[in-house]
Amino acid sequence: MQRSIQGIGMTSQRTRDRLVERLREKGITDERVLEVMRTTPRHLFIDEALAHRAYEDSSLPIGHGQTISQPYIVAKMTEVLLEPGIPDFVLEVGTGSGYQSAVLSRLVPKVYTVERISGLLDKAREAHRLIGIRNIYTKHSDGSWGWPQHAPYPAIMVTAAPEQIPESLLEQLAVGGRMVIPVGTISGDQQLKLITRVSVTNFEEHTLDAVRFVPLLDGSVR
Ligand code: SAH
């Protein structure tokens, strides 16, 4: 079904402005990130039936048992990843709706993103096309293996939670690079972690926030 970007009128801009105010109240300070959140049409990444809730600060279902992340988490992960400066390119694992990659694509020259469910990837690509984004490269695959072709990455963002950080992602992180990743079980605790590769063999780990993500699963499916 075709969707148009008409209808992103004043109403939706006002609700987006309000969302940005909430993000500020919750502690997001990076003006570049706030501006991108203010101007990215999140409602186009959500089924029309739920689009009226697009600018609430909550995660929402996107089908296939998956969710689009809460705007605060999108802003927080983006802010942390880009804090030392803008990398030339970034790898995202877990494209989902394509909203997080759209936010990244407005800040980083090139975004590589991997999704294991092809039905979600098709919709994400369509949303990117609709808003005229052309610097996102997608791959249908199990992102636990990263995307070796473009490695090493100066920045990696993982938006599904493994119980342990996959070795391949650590290997594909450039020395000096940063990875933001939720780690933990679905039922138990999950922590958002910042991993910095300080040398070929040394990684530093910081715990940021308690979070709740869908699990990072093995294999790829239609
Ligand atoms: N960044 C997304 C969040 C989607 S939820 C957004 O902005 O909407 C997490 C996504 O990770 C889901 O779409 C899920 O299918 C995907 N996922 C889970 N395990 C994966 C894996 N091993 N490789 C790639 N994608 C995975």
Side-chain angles (χ1 to χ4, degrees):
M1 196 187 20
Q2 276 294 328
R3 276 179 92 171
S4 84
I5 42 176
Q6 262 138 49
I8 315 177
M10 292 309 290
T11 318
S12 155
Q13 190 55 62
R14 266 201 302 273
T15 54
R16 258 182 272 169
D17 290 345
R18 230 174 284 140
L19 171 63
V20 166
E21 284 320 307
R22 275 200 60 72
L23 297 178
R24 270 187 213 283
E25 283 161 22
K26 287 182 146 181
I28 305 296
T29 56
D30 188 325
E31 291 299 330
R32 299 168 303 184
V33 174
L34 290 167
E35 181 56 19
V36 169
M37 301 290 293
R38 206 179 66 77
T39 52
T40 303
R42 188 169 183 256
H43 64 279
L44 295 179
F45 295 88
I46 297 170
D47 279 345
E48 266 163 306
L50 285 173
H52 64 285
R53 298 185 53 196
Y55 302 103
E56 289 175 14
D57 188 24
S58 54
S59 61
L60 293 167
I62 53 171
H64 303 263
Q66 305 304 317
T67 53
I68 181 172
S69 306
Q70 178 192 1
Y72 168 72
I73 292 294
V74 170
K76 177 77 186 176
M77 289 175 84
T78 308
E79 181 173 77
V80 168
L81 197 66
L82 305 186
E83 195 264 320
I86 302 291
D88 291 335
F89 55 102
V90 56
L91 172 69
E92 181 198 28
V93 175
T95 317
S97 67
Y99 175 68
Q100 172 73 74
S101 52
V103 167
L104 285 169
S105 77
R106 295 185 147 167
L107 295 159
V108 178
K110 248 186 216 177
V111 179
Y112 297 102
T113 182
V114 183
E115 169 58 54
R116 66 182 285 277
I117 301 175
S118 68
L120 288 176
L121 204 48
D122 291 343
K123 282 208 231 169
R125 284 198 195 107
E126 175 61 15
H128 294 153
R129 194 193 58 77
L130 199 62
I131 54 181
I133 293 174
R134 302 175 71 159
N135 59 338
I136 299 179
Y137 303 85
T138 61
K139 184 180 166 83
H140 176 222
S141 168
D142 178 346
S144 314
W145 303 103
W147 189 341
Q149 196 186 342
H150 308 290
Y153 297 92
I156 299 178
M157 184 187 288
V158 183
T159 65
E163 288 187 20
Q164 280 178 356
I165 303 176
E167 259 324 296
S168 305
L169 295 180
L170 291 170
E171 280 164 17
Q172 289 173 34
L173 188 63
V175 172
R178 285 155 93 79
M179 168 158 53
V180 182
I181 181 168
V183 183
T185 55
I186 345 167
S187 45
D189 283 347
Q190 281 180 18
Q191 310 287 341
L192 189 62
K193 306 229 180 224
L194 168 65
I195 310 294
T196 309
R197 185 167 199 171
V198 287
S199 72
V200 174
T201 49
N202 261 320
F203 295 84
E204 251 172 41
E205 182 179 310
H206 292 278
T207 298
L208 303 170
D209 265 336
V211 286
R212 182 162 287 258
F213 276 84
V214 295
L216 190 78
L217 299 173
D218 289 340
S220 58
V221 293
R222 293 274 118 213

